[in-house]
Amino acid sequence: MERLSCTGSSIRRRSTSISSHTSHHTDNDDESERVSEAGDIGDRALPSTRLSESGSIRSSFDIRPEENEVVVSTEDEEILHPNSTLSTGAVVDSEAINHETRRGLPKLLDYASCMVHLAVFGILGVLTRYLLQKLFGPGVGNVTSNKTLLYLDLPSNMIGSFLMGWFGIVFKGDISNVSEHLAIAITTGYLGSLTTFSGWNQKMLELSVSGHWLFASLGFVVGLFLVAFSIIFGIETAKGFRWLLSKLSMSCGARSDGSNISTKVDSNSRQLTIMMMFLVILIMLWGVCGVLVKAEFRHGGNAAELWFACMVGPIGVWIRWFLARLNGRGLGKAGLLKWVPFGTLIANVSAAFVMAALATVKKAVHTRDCDTVVSGTQFGLLGCLSTVSTFAAEFNAMRESDYPWRAYAYALITICISFVIGILVYCIPVWTKGV
């Protein structure tokens, strides 16, 4: 009898140990997934895509910034606990969510609408980045330069990261309540195109070619610090503004739960109307840019490069948006290294590689038409393909997680791979062949 009791106790301890290990492993996977998806998850955020992925075992989370509360969806809870009985409220909420998903746009139109939103906001991001270059550059502010560690795109990267703290983290849920396409367009489209990693990497490569290795090294360190601080400052100020709004709404007797919003794009007719409006805007923008490129191309210069960049910029936004679906998925069927946002990593590294290759071509050919096309492609397509704002959101999420070392490992991996590839593709040809 004593032996049976010992055996039972041993089995219970083993069961408890296994349960604890499984729970700890699941928590680690959940956190890895969360930090990897902090910036963007691409087309997986679309309503038409969620229903097709609802059958996966992967849990979906709703992080509330002000409370850090994690809510597990009822669909995933049913999968994880098939023998449990859901409450009537949970079933009603689940049916309401499915009903809302079904009454949305069909998948093809959902994709088309989102891509149109991304294109319009991507062009606006390119124009804003250009204006900030001119404002802080040698022509006006004399703050940034191609010859110092304060590179030309530093103000854009800092402002974009600051705004990501506002609209990509704190207020993203509120914007999504009005329109999920608008939330994607602002964060992935505008802020992703306003900031550029490939431009940052290329300026450091150009400093290295000139022999300014110290400036190049400090450019990465100082740039990373300023970008990281910018998103922290953005989050803190946005939380303060949210607190102020809640106090004002309470003092005015208004409801603060967001139920009084009447502009929610929650019907097919509204979504189609918004889609057609943005499509008209996109056609007009492309038309104006096409006319200006045709007029300025023969003369070359910054104007021709800018309008060409606006025409090809949306292509970079679309590619980055599709790559973002890899964030939080890990490698292989086992989902290894889920904490690494492979979508953002691939976008930034590939853009840096092509940027360096085109810079080598530009030095080798050196004609007016080649300069216009190459510079426009670099500033537009590759500038929009790479991003610092999403990178900053992921870096900040990793830094605040249980494994803060992942943030610095992720930054080191991104910077080192991009810089080494740039040296092989750009610096070595310039040094050896005098390209």
Side-chain angles (χ1 to χ4, degrees), residues 213-348:
W213 289 97
L214 180 60
F215 275 0
S217 302
L218 291 176
F220 280 121
V221 175
V222 173
L224 180 62
F225 171 78
L226 292 176
V227 164
F229 177 77
S230 296
I231 194 168
I232 294 173
F233 186 55
I235 293 172
E236 295 301 323
T237 53
K239 286 182 177 180
F241 185 69
R242 178 189 283 278
W243 175 84
L244 181 62
L245 287 179
S246 65
K247 291 296 182 182
L248 290 175
S249 63
M250 290 175 61
S251 63
C252 296
R255 297 183 65 181
S256 59
D257 58 355
S259 60
N260 56 344
I261 297 177
S262 60
T263 56
K264 181 175 176 61
V265 184
D266 57 355
S267 64
N268 283 355
S269 59
R270 287 187 178 183
Q271 292 185 42
L272 285 173
T273 301
I274 298 296
M275 173 184 170
M276 294 307 299
M277 183 185 72
F278 274 95
L279 182 59
V280 171
I281 295 174
L282 177 60
I283 293 173
M284 291 176 61
L285 286 173
W286 264 339
V288 171
C289 292
V291 171
L292 293 173
V293 165
K294 186 177 180 180
E296 299 289 340
F297 195 83
R298 73 186 81 174
H299 307 295
N302 292 334
E305 294 170 3
L306 171 63
W307 303 125
F308 187 83
C310 290
M311 293 190 67
V312 299
I315 301 174
V317 180
W318 293 335
I319 296 173
R320 173 163 48 83
W321 180 60
F322 280 111
L323 286 173
R325 73 179 346 263
L326 301 176
N327 293 340
R329 292 300 181 92
L331 294 175
K333 294 182 178 180
L336 300 175
L337 299 175
K338 278 189 176 183
W339 61 273
V340 179
F342 285 103
T344 307
L345 179 63
I346 293 172
N348 282 338

Side-chain angles (χ1 to χ4, degrees), residues 50-60 72-86:
R50 286 197 211 118
L51 188 61
S52 61
E53 293 191 351
S54 61
S56 63
I57 300 180
R58 175 183 163 273
S59 300
S60 60
V72 184
S73 68
T74 56
E75 294 171 341
D76 298 311
E77 201 156 287
E78 184 178 1
I79 294 171
L80 293 175
H81 306 286
N83 296 326
S84 63
T85 303
L86 296 177

Side-chain angles (χ1 to χ4, degrees), residues 407-429:
Y408 303 97
Y410 172 50
L412 195 63
I413 290 171
T414 303
I415 292 173
C416 288
I417 293 178
S418 302
F419 191 68
V420 169
I421 290 177
I423 290 177
L424 296 175
V425 175
Y426 176 73
C427 295
I428 291 181

